[in-house]
Amino acid sequence: MTRQTVSWIQHAEVVVTVDIELNELAAWAAKSAYVRALVGTDATSADVMQVQRLLESNGHVRDALIRLWVTSRATENG
């Protein structure tokens, strides 16, 4: 067997419009452990209320979690 190496640069732009309530997104993010919280010096899964506050105050995090949610839904539905 011979070793093969391939490489490429790929750019894709994806635009989606979804209907999702922030509380639904917060519950999904907390359950999936995508968001962590500090409790003392330990990192643990954030609870729904912590995620909800984060979504309301940080648009970048909200957009990132929506992208993760959309991607997870797309891979579930194959």
Side-chain angles (χ1 to χ4, degrees):
M1 181 180 300
T2 60
R3 180 175 291 175
Q4 306 294 320
T5 302
V6 295
S7 66
W8 64 89
I9 297 172
Q10 184 172 325
H11 176 78
E13 180 178 3
V14 178
V15 178
V16 298
T17 301
V18 296
D19 293 319
I20 185 168
E21 297 292 332
L22 286 185
N23 60 347
E24 179 184 350
L25 182 61
W28 172 83
K31 183 179 78 174
S32 62
Y34 280 116
V35 180
R36 309 290 286 170
L38 283 176
V39 177
T41 58
D42 297 323
T44 185
S45 295
D47 66 30
V48 174
M49 290 307 297
Q50 291 169 317
V51 177
Q52 181 84 26
R53 285 191 303 272
L54 182 60
L55 293 173
E56 291 170 356
S57 65
N58 191 315
H60 295 293
V61 171
R62 184 175 52 248
D63 290 351
L65 284 174
I66 291 171
R67 283 191 301 271
L68 288 170
W69 180 79
V70 167
T71 303
S72 76
R73 300 285 296 200
T75 55
E76 282 176 8
N77 299 324

